[in-house]
Amino acid sequence: MAPTRADNTLRNGHSEEKHILLLGSGFVVPPCLEYLARRKTNQITIASLDLERAHQLARKRSNIFVTTVDVGNQDSLDQLVSRHDIVISLIPYTFHAKVIRSALKFRKHVVTTSYISPEMKAFDAEAKEKGVMIMNEIGLDPGVDHVYALKTIDEVQSQGGKILSFVSYCGGLPAPEASGNPLGYKFSWSSRGVLLALRNEAKYLKDGKVVKVEGSELMRSAVPINILPALAVVGYPNRDSSGYGERYNMPHAHTVLRGSLRYACFPEFVQALVDIGFLSEEAKPYLSTDAADIEWKDVLVQMLDLPKYQEEAVEEAIASKSGLSDSMALQRVIQGMKWLGLLSSTKVTKRGGNLLDTLCATLEEKMVFEEGERDMVLLQHTFEVETGKGELQTRTSTLLEYGEPKGFTAMAKTVGTPCAIAVQLILDGELNIPGVQAPITKDIYLPIMAQLEKEGITCKESIIPH
């Protein structure tokens, strides 16, 4: 399908026009489009399988056009990429390598918000040879976190100081007034993706030694994080941050940890769900689509290997499976499961034939943002510093961003806007560093930071002497 209204522009556009291909139409796209569409010489084509959504995004904007493309079809992708100056890939990361391959054929720049995978990194030499910039990790986490971490690290080291410890936590959460559920969480994207991430193992550096946390124990590793007195949040390690001492050029750092933030009620409840077996992808015949309807309390009986549903026996089995000896903690978990309907006669919305996907169907019914509710992004870097004069100090860099009830969510803004900034800087020639890149060097993060601050995306910094 040809781009609506775009062909004439692509063929007859003036030399000052820049042609941008945006792959995807997900929740971070609107603020990205809003930023890029301010420049009327930017001619933007949204390529999406969801044409209705894409047309909504393009509505009332004369410089945004719509088309569809099968990214799995290399010829179709090549035809579209060849007619644009730069490609923004906001589709699942598994397609990025295919997009980069196409862009390199035609010497087109690419921007993604994703972590650099080995498959993407493999294009580095070719991109350098062809003078093409493949910009990645430019959203929130990763992205804004890189920018403001490197700002402080480079400032300290340029003055002869050392970073002795770096601990960073970031989380996308409901605003406090919208957090009233057992998880203190609401889903703005795939609930399955959120839950699967909680099964990943994590690694970090503590006192010079690598600490490994198994996925099954990830929630038990959560600790209180004191960022703002009004917010009871906890943090747990995210992925493998053990190599960030080298990546951020902190040779003296004995502790390096990057983690996720949640409200204090989250880890305890999720860990109970893990221990009971709700995050299992094992096929269950009683959850198959052709099985008879089943109520949640009867699912729980199957999971806990009980002969029948009796509330006292169920609660005892939950306590045993989850290892919760604290009566208050156990009651919070029980009350949370009741709130979700897991101990009720509610018929299960079956999905995927397994417990994980079936639980996700219920979470998505119960835990979505209602109209008028705000989300919140909270990020804090904490640095233990030895200055060039030998003085010890703690430095923090904190970002707190709220969504707008009738505007962009905080998460969409802090992912989509940095992405758009990088695109515009590349188009304007202010970023021209060939290769597979991330915003971790001054020549990349400083221009981006200057524009982030103009958009109000900035960290508040403090220094506390010891």
Side-chain angles (χ1 to χ4, degrees):
M1 179 177 175
T4 309
R5 297 184 294 161
D7 281 341
N8 288 339
T9 305
L10 292 170
R11 284 194 295 263
N12 304 320
H14 300 295
S15 59
E16 70 271 13
E17 289 184 348
K18 300 295 184 182
H19 301 291
I20 302 166
L21 175 62
L22 194 158
L23 300 174
S25 58
F27 83 103
V28 304
V29 168
C32 182
L33 282 175
E34 189 277 331
Y35 185 93
L36 292 171
R38 296 176 197 170
R39 187 85 63 89
K40 296 307 178 185
T41 51
N42 286 341
Q43 303 294 304
I44 308 161
T45 300
I46 305 171
S48 172
L49 293 176
D50 187 345
L51 285 177
E52 181 179 354
R53 166 73 173 160
H55 279 293
Q56 288 175 352
L57 292 169
R59 191 171 50 193
K60 296 182 180 179
R61 289 189 171 116
S62 61
N63 59 337
I64 300 181
F65 316 106
V66 172
T67 189
T68 187
V69 64
D70 177 5
V71 177
N73 183 319
Q74 195 70 56
D75 288 340
S76 174
L77 181 63
D78 286 352
Q79 287 180 26
L80 198 53
V81 167
S82 67
R83 305 204 314 247
H84 294 81
D85 300 303
I86 193 166
V87 183
I88 310 169
S89 187
L90 294 178
I91 54 180
Y93 75 93
T94 50
F95 292 107
H96 289 336
K98 187 177 287 288
V99 172
I100 293 170
R101 184 178 297 112
S102 179
L104 286 171
K105 286 182 186 177
F106 306 102
R107 298 179 186 267
K108 309 295 185 179
H109 305 295
V110 178
V111 175
T112 86
T113 60
S114 302
Y115 283 102
I116 298 172
S117 67
E119 293 79 9
M120 294 158 71
K121 187 64 177 176
F123 291 104
D124 185 56
E126 184 181 355
K128 287 176 178 174
E129 178 190 346
K130 292 183 174 179
V132 172
M133 189 169 187
I134 311 295
M135 184 67 194
N136 309 279
E137 303 190 21
I138 187 57
L140 169 67
D141 179 3
V144 175
D145 56 330
H146 288 330
V147 170
Y148 286 100
L150 270 298
K151 174 183 183 289
T152 296
I153 292 166
D154 287 343
E155 283 177 358
V156 168
Q157 293 177 343
S158 68
Q159 296 166 9
K162 302 173 183 176
I163 304 295
L164 304 180
S165 170
F166 171 75
V167 176
S168 173
Y169 288 102
C170 183
L173 300 162
E177 73 274 10
S179 64
N181 65 56
L183 287 169
Y185 193 82
K186 294 197 172 181
F187 296 97
S188 58
W189 63 293
S190 163
S191 60
R192 193 179 204 275
V194 171
L195 293 182
L196 285 176
L198 302 176
R199 303 191 323 191
N200 293 338
E201 71 173 27
K203 292 181 183 178
Y204 61 95
L205 190 67
K206 182 174 176 60
D207 298 328
K209 296 181 180 179
V210 174
V211 177
K212 182 178 178 181
V213 181
E214 297 294 339
S216 59
E217 297 296 308
L218 187 63
M219 293 297 96
R220 287 195 176 94
S221 72
V223 295
I225 305 297
N226 182 23
I227 297 178
L228 296 168
L231 297 176
V233 294
V234 296
Y236 52 89
N238 181 24
R239 304 194 186 204
D240 183 358
S241 48
S242 60
Y244 272 80
E246 180 178 356
R247 194 176 192 207
Y248 281 178
N249 188 28
M250 301 182 292
H252 303 99
H254 55 70
T255 296
V256 178
L257 185 153
R258 286 162 46 91
S260 298
L261 285 174
R262 295 289 184 263
Y263 286 119
C265 56
F266 184 93
E268 177 182 79
F269 190 68
V270 169
Q271 188 64 56
L273 295 178
V274 171
D275 293 339
I276 295 167
F278 277 102
L279 270 61
S280 170
E281 294 180 89
E282 180 185 348
K284 299 293 183 184
Y286 57 85
L287 294 177
S288 67
T289 53
D290 55 358
D293 287 346
I294 187 169
E295 297 174 356
W296 263 120
K297 63 183 178 59
D298 294 324
V299 169
L300 208 54
V301 164
Q302 298 260 17
M303 296 175 68
L304 299 173
D305 198 24
L306 296 172
K308 62 179 180 178
Y309 185 88
Q310 291 180 314
E311 187 166 334
E312 186 176 342
V314 166
E315 291 188 11
E316 287 177 358
I318 290 171
S320 175
K321 280 255 190 182
S322 61
L324 287 170
S325 56
D326 182 283
S327 60
M328 288 186 64
L330 176 60
Q331 282 308 305
R332 285 195 296 270
V333 168
I334 297 294
Q335 289 303 314
M337 293 179 70
K338 286 181 177 179
W339 184 87
L340 285 172
L342 304 183
L343 279 69
S344 75
S345 299
T346 302
K347 284 188 171 59
V348 170
T349 302
K350 291 182 284 189
R351 182 189 292 174
N354 61 62
L355 288 160
L356 171 66
D357 290 308
T358 299
L359 174 64
C360 286
T362 291
L363 295 179
E364 289 165 11
E365 291 171 7
K366 304 273 289 187
M367 297 174 60
V368 294
F369 283 94
E370 303 292 338
E371 186 174 354
E373 289 185 334
R374 303 183 300 168
D375 73 326
M376 178 183 80
V377 163
L378 183 59
L379 162 70
Q380 185 172 79
H381 300 314
T382 302
F383 309 84
E384 298 301 327
V385 172
E386 180 183 318
T387 70
K389 297 179 179 179
E391 299 167 341
L392 298 179
Q393 54 184 220
T394 299
R395 295 193 179 199
T396 61
S397 184
T398 307
L399 171 72
L400 176 61
E401 184 84 28
Y402 286 100
E404 301 171 11
K406 293 185 179 180
F408 300 140
T409 66
M411 182 60 72
K413 178 181 176 181
T414 53
V415 176
T417 304
C419 174
I421 286 170
V423 170
Q424 195 63 66
L425 289 170
I426 292 170
L427 289 174
D428 291 346
E430 294 184 43
L431 280 183
N432 185 19
I433 303 153
V436 177
Q437 306 290 354
I440 57 173
T441 56
K442 283 184 179 180
D443 50 359
I444 296 177
Y445 79 73
L446 284 177
I448 290 173
M449 184 171 63
Q451 298 306 314
L452 283 172
E453 291 178 348
K454 290 180 181 179
E455 299 302 311
I457 301 175
T458 186
C459 287
K460 182 178 180 180
E461 298 175 334
S462 71
I463 301 176
I464 304 170
H466 287 199

